[in-house]
């Protein structure tokens, strides 16, 4: 695949601004050569509430600056005034589309600090929910990549299948989007009767969907033309920018916390971590498409291997007076976007001293995006953001 | 080829034209919410006790406890109900999961449309909603899912072998860790506080245990109860009967936590812990008859107000029933003395061995003091009056207990039959069992009561422990006659008791004459209750008093009698138990203060 986004292959360097003394492009707006446009915060081509300040030369971007702060809700501060149990229904809001990773990291961190272990059954149920969560996220973002280029049909199909997954969520957790299912000590319910069969038939639907999306997106000359070579991430940037998850795996890095540092019962599941070379929009989209099928198969495995019986919640002290012993911990998990982690500090009281989220969007949607947008065509901005799977709510905690 | 494929393949999407649509026409009716869906709140108003745990856990502040029409405040129920504000609620259902009674649930309803924005703040169960009866929806997950610990921290106790021949205290008391763990279970609802006769600030002192601020806890207790060492051991704990956690599991061990606080402040530190300033002396004098819970409690609060107090006590030591009724293995004298010594140290004067009516008359007290409080309690043992009770080997439990406490020898046969099912019956049973063990090396006691075990008035733990101490309990039998041969008691004839009270709740036992039994014994002890002895009230005083239809003394809310200088409280008015006495004493002290300042008339307080 051609890398047409690297500096050396640029057609005509004279169009672009020289670097100034601070090594940043020196842009003189009064020269008439450049114009400035804002994409966002209200713009269909932006993934969520952030905005991009773009300097254009013609339809090419010569400078990009990201702006966040449009939906700052101060969650991390709020947590300091919440009992540990009360953090649970709040923390998941840090990432709307994939809330369960928040629940998991938080619950696990509290358990670790207080020396409680969730029962075996709860571990499997947690894993199930995490994979279902990944699946519904990928069902949005995989076809969403086509959507960013104007290919709407996959999005509609994807939404349908995702609804089926949400139905499963509703059955299991009582909620469709915010599940509030994992809490320190375990989970809030066992598998409903007949869940396995229903889940399996949804997974079959996922595989059918994957095939169709392969036809309309990945075997589509228009999509290919737009996606291949766009938003290229050089493998050397991966560690430089802290790139994780599918964005790194598309650049040849075989990294997945589920394999590298197995948590829950991932070591008992059988799968290959997808890796590809040449991390551009196409490859990143493709790797998520592969992830989606891996996840569907993992869900099948989990349902098969999960113990039938057993308690799903360990006894925990009175939620209104639960003081967590002094300490700190960092708990991480592989979200669909990559490493997602909670740093929790306890001062021994019933309220957390500090809870901090490490989310992949912080690096992907700020530093990396600013770099990727240079030389990009303005029409590709939305697609590049989608391909990084950025999520502003998770940047602003 | 692949170029052409890339152009043609996307057209496979046209296949979908042949498929049925996947959307549902009427999603609300065709597809109801799942059985676990967290929809709109429902509350079983009858079951809810207004404890407010739901309000406390709600992280969005969506719940507010409000008074509602048709729900009254009563024992064990705050009378408040949760009101939910759907402008704030995030449907986490933590409120449902923590609900003490399980009354709060959610329906599986998806949609609620209303043009009035105020409608979305509502009291579930009170404001009628279409989903009130819906069975489906989020309920507290069962089983083994709890947001609290159901079991109380068990109290370390001496084993039966260790205690059955000694009067050493049975209960050992909580350690620091145990006390904190038990205090952690409290949900801070205050339901107990309303029921406690003394309205002790229970949630506050439990919080003090949790926060290890024991001197603060000590101060909180003394605000309403100057006998915490006593109550921490033998209180009848009405609070625990209504504790919100009792609906879910074991009630909080409130009494043991009180004891833990009291025990952890040493006697030298009472003054410092209580931070009491010397009151300004008032030139009024109050006489108190009886140094039991009522008298001591009143003396304490009156002394703090600066009154000059003198207690007249018929026995050689203070404490009343706490000393002469309750055995040492339940309430060691050391603990009792700690409480009493502190009260007396406030300058309360006490004259022992002085029986009002005999050694000094009530009229004299009236002359010499500005006000008089009677807290004499119930010391006259009642008799079954069955044939044979006039025999010399038939005794009154209350008298035996008193004599034993004084250090006097009491009659002790090899085989004893005890009649009674209350705590006094258990006290004498277990006291005599210990003495039998000491003297004969074995226990031969049969304790029988009219009531069957499920309705016996004695505390369950007393019953269980008596059994452990090898006493034979025979509940559900009515005594008929004491068999006497050659002036020797042979035993007690009983017949099966079918019911104790009639449908109006009046005492009227019914027997099955066919079902008879005989309990062998050489000595019989009656422990069927005590009556009051108010013979010391002169005719003049008596005539100026109000009596209820059943012949009980009548006082107003402040324990003031119709003779306005005369106050009465404790077992002769309410109870009988220690905590009512303490509560009455406290309230009477405030009444006396008002009366002496000229602010209280008999008719002003509602009659009790
Ligand atoms: S927690 Fe339950 S019982 Fe207590 S007030 Fe709320 S609804 Fe009522
Ligand atoms: S569901 Fe959650 S947010 Fe709503 S009232 Fe209950 S505790 Fe509060
Ligand atoms: S002791 Fe029981 S009733 Fe009292 S505040 Fe605690 S939980 Fe509520």
């Amino acid at each position: 695949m051609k890398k047409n986004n690297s500096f050396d292959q640029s057609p005509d360097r004279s169009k672009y601004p020289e670097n100034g003394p601070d090594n940043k492009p020196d842009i003189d707006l009064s020269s008439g050569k450049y114009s400035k446009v804002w994409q966002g915060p209200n713009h269909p081509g932006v993934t969520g509430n952030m905005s991009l300040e773009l300097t254009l030369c013609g339809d090419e971007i010569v400078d990009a600056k990201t702006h966040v702060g449009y939906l700052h809700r101060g969650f991390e501060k709020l947590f300091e005034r919440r009992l540990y149990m009360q953090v649970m229904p709040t923390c998941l809001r840090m990432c709307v589309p994939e809330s369960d990773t928040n629940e998991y990291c938080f619950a696990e961190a509290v358990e670790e600090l207080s020396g409680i272990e969730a029962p075996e059954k709860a571990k499997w149920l947690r894993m199930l929910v995490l994979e279902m969560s990944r699946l519904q996220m990928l069902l949005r973002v995989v076809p969403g990549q086509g959507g960013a280029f104007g290919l709407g049909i996959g999005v509609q199909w994807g939404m349908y299948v995702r609804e089926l997954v949400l139905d499963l969520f509703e059955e299991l957790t009582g909620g469709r989007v915010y599940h509030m299912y994992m809490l320190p000590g375990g989970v809030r319910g066992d598998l409903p009767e007949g869940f396995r069969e229903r889940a399996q038939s949804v997974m079959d639907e996922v595989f059918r969907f994957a095939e169709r999306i392969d036809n309309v997106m990945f075997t589509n000359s228009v999509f290919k033309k737009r996606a291949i070579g766009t938003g290229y991430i050089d493998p050397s940037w991966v560690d430089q920018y802290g790139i994780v998850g599918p964005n790194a795996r598309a650049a040849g890095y075989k990294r997945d916390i589920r394999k590298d540092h197995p948590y829950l019962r991932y070591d008992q599941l059988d799968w290959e971590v997808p890796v590809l070379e040449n991390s551009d929009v196409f490859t990143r989209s493709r790797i998520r498409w592969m992830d989606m099928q891996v996840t569907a198969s993992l869900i099948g495995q989990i349902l098969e291997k999960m113990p039938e019986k057993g308690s799903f919640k360990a006894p925990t002290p009175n939620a209104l007076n639960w003081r967590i012993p002094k300490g700190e911990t960092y708990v991480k998990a592989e979200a669909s976007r990559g490493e997602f982690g909670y740093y929790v500090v306890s001062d021994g009281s019933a309220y957390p001293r500090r809870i901090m989220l490490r989310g992949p969007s912080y690096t992907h949607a700020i530093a990396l995006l600013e770099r990727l947008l240079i030389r990009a065509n303005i029409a590709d901005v939305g697609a590049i953001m989608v391909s990084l799977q950025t999520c502003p709510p998770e940047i602003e905690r | 080829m692949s170029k052409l494929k890339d152009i043609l393949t996307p057209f496979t999407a046209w296949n979908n034209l042949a498929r049925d649509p996947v959307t549902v026409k009427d999603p609300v009716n065709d597809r109801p919410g799942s059985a676990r869906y967290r929809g709109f709140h429902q509350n079983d108003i009858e079951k809810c006790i207004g404890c407010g745990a739901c309000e406390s856990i709600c992280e969005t502040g969506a719940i507010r406890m409000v008074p509602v029409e048709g729900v009254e405040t009563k024992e064990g129920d705050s009378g408040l109900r949760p009101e939910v504000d759907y402008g704030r609620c995030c449907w986490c259902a933590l409120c449902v999961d923590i609900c003490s009674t399980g009354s709060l649930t959610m329906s599986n309803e998806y949609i609620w449309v209303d043009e009035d924005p105020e409608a979305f703040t509502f009291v579930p169960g009170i404001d009628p909603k279409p989903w009130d009866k819906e069975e489906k929806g989020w309920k507290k997950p069962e089983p083994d899912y709890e947001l609290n610990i159901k079991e109380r921290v068990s109290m370390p106790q001496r084993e039966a072998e260790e205690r059955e021949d000694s009067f050493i205290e049975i209960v050992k008391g909580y350690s620091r860790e145990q006390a904190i763990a038990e205090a952690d279970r409290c949900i801070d609802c205050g339901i107990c506080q309303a029921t406690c006769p003394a309205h002790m600030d229970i949630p506050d002192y439990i919080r003090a245990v949790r926060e290890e601020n024991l001197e603060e806890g000590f101060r909180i207790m003394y605000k309403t109860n100057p006998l915490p060492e006593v109550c921490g051991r033998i209180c009848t704990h009405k609070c625990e009967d209504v504790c919100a956690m009792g609906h879910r599991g074991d009630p909080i061990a409130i009494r043991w936590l009180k004891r833990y606080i009291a025990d952890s402040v040493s006697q030298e530190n009472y003054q410092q812990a209580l931070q009491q300033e010397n009151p300004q002396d008032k030139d009024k004098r109050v006489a108190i008859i009886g140094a039991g819970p009522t008298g001591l409690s009143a003396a304490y609060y009156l002394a703090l107000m600066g009154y000059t107090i003198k207690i007249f006590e018929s026995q050689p030591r203070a404490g009343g029933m706490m000393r002469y009724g309750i055995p040492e293995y339940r309430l060691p004298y050391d603990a009792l003395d700690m409480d009493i010594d502190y009260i007396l140290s406030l300058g309360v004067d006490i004259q022992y061995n002085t029986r009002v009516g005999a050694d000094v008359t009530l009229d004299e007290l009236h002359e010499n003091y500005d006000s008089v409080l009677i807290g004499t309690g119930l010391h006259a043992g009642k008799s079954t009056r069955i044939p044979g009770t006039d025999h010399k080997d038939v005794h009154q439990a209350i008298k035996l207990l008193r004599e034993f406490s004084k250090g006097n020898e009491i009659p002790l046969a090899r085989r004893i039959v005890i009649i009674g099912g209350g705590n006094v019956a258990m006290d004498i049973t277990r006291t005599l069992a210990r003495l039998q063990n000491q003297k004969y090396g074995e226990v031969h006691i049969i304790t029988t009561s009219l009531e069957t075990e499920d309705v016996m008035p004695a505390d369950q733990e007393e019953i269980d422990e008596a059994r452990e101490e090898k006493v034979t309990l025979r509940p559900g039998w009515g005594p008929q006659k004491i068999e006497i041969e050659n002036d020797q008691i042979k035993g007690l004839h009983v017949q099966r008791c079918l019911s104790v009270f009639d449908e109006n709740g009046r005492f009227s036992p019914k027997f099955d004459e066919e079902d008879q039994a005989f309990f062998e014994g050489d000595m019989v002890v009656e422990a069927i209750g005590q009556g009051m002895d108010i013979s010391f009230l002169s005719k003049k005083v008596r005539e100026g008093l109000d009596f209820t239809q059943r012949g009980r003394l009548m006082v107003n809310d402040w324990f003031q009698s119709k003779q306005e200088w005369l106050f009465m409280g404790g077992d002769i008015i309410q109870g009988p138990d220690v905590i009512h006495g303490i509560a009455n004493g406290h309230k009477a002290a405030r009444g006396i203060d008002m009366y002496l300042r000229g602010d209280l008339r008999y008719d002003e307080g509602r009659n009790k």
Side-chain angles (χ1 to χ4, degrees), chain B residues 43 48-54 65 82 99-101 103-104:
Chain B
N43 195 4
C48 172
I49 53 167
C51 68
C54 47
M65 298 303 294
C99 172
S100 309
T101 60
S103 67
L104 199 64

Side-chain angles (χ1 to χ4, degrees), chain A residues 313-332:
Chain A
K313 186 177 167 294
T316 49
N318 182 358
L320 298 173
N321 292 324
W322 192 359
R323 293 178 303 279
I324 304 293
K326 252 188 202 166
E328 55 185 293
T329 183
Y330 175 72
V331 170
K332 60 185 183 222

